[in-house]
Amino acid sequence: MADWDKRYTEAEARLFGDRPNEYLRQIMARSDVAPASALMIGDGDGRNGAWLAAQGLAVTAVDISAVATEQARAHDAAMGVAVERITADLADWTPGTGRSWDAAFMMYLQCEAEVRHRAASIAAKALNPGGWFAAEGFAPNNTGEGELGPGDSDLLYERDEILAALGPLQEIEALNGRVRLNEGIKHQGTGWVLRLLARRP
């Protein structure tokens, strides 16, 4: 597991920028997506959770890095939004009894596949009926020299494995291909990604 506290402490600028993830924006622009609450899985220094809160959602965000979470709280305050932020390891974190959300987002959660799939499963079970699950992450087929993406295959997103973790959720769309990212100092360039949207019946 990467030392995310160290990475966020040493960063001279926000690692993934100030703006929300583009796929997250696309999902929220859909005519059939209108959640009132959302769970952000691995929200880092808070760009996505804060943006959702600014859209009027009640947001709960979980991240392993205490440093990133404190940075996120500072950014929330600067934006004038409120986000429930939790520092926890997704290898063993579970929501409190009775907690549920209308949507769950897992954007570039960079961790071992076992932890990532557990997080997806936990999120799926915590969705309200009709709730949405969306994910984006680097996928296999990063064959181009100089493309973005981790060298460790265990960190790559596999469509079938994530769908298996989601259980009864219905796949709405799955896109696997090369995109150009412009997200802060870490995601600059092209990379092969998986974008996945699913819904609880």
Side-chain angles (χ1 to χ4, degrees):
M1 172 66 73
D3 187 344
W4 288 105
D5 279 346
K6 185 174 185 291
R7 290 188 183 186
Y8 280 103
T9 297
E10 295 178 349
E12 297 180 0
R14 296 185 76 173
L15 291 178
F16 304 102
D18 299 307
R19 295 171 296 181
N21 173 268
E22 287 297 330
Y23 187 48
L24 172 63
R25 289 167 58 96
Q26 291 175 27
I27 292 165
M28 290 298 295
R30 289 176 59 112
S31 61
D32 54 350
V33 175
S37 60
L39 172 65
M40 291 300 309
I41 304 166
D43 198 33
D45 66 2
R47 65 186 177 115
N48 293 318
W51 182 80
L52 286 174
Q55 312 311 303
L57 278 70
V59 180
T60 300
V62 183
D63 198 89
I64 193 172
S65 171
V67 173
T69 299
E70 285 307 307
Q71 292 179 1
R73 291 189 177 116
H75 295 309
D76 294 343
M79 289 182 61
V81 299
V83 176
E84 178 189 12
R85 295 201 176 274
I86 300 168
T87 302
D89 189 339
L90 289 165
D92 52 34
W93 177 79
T94 55
T97 302
R99 296 296 306 271
S100 63
W101 294 269
D102 296 329
F105 299 97
M106 188 172 75
M107 302 301 179
Y108 291 96
L109 175 63
Q110 292 279 259
C111 65
E112 301 86 346
E114 181 179 358
V115 175
R116 186 168 60 251
H117 299 153
R118 179 187 184 277
S121 178
I122 290 291
K125 292 173 183 175
L127 287 176
N128 293 320
W132 298 88
F133 175 91
E136 178 174 314
F138 292 112
N141 295 325
N142 271 298
T143 56
E145 185 177 349
E147 288 196 339
L148 300 174
D152 185 351
S153 62
D154 198 39
L155 302 179
L156 299 176
Y157 283 47
E158 296 271 7
R159 169 186 169 272
D160 291 347
E161 292 178 357
I162 295 178
L163 285 175
L166 296 178
L169 269 62
Q170 299 173 345
E171 181 183 61
I172 303 300
E173 66 180 22
L175 308 171
N176 197 318
R178 184 176 289 108
V179 300
R180 179 170 293 278
L181 297 173
N182 179 24
E183 300 181 329
I185 59 178
K186 295 297 288 184
H187 285 177
Q188 287 291 330
T190 60
W192 201 278
V193 306
L194 171 69
R195 290 175 170 175
L196 176 67
L197 179 64
R199 193 175 192 183
R200 182 170 182 174

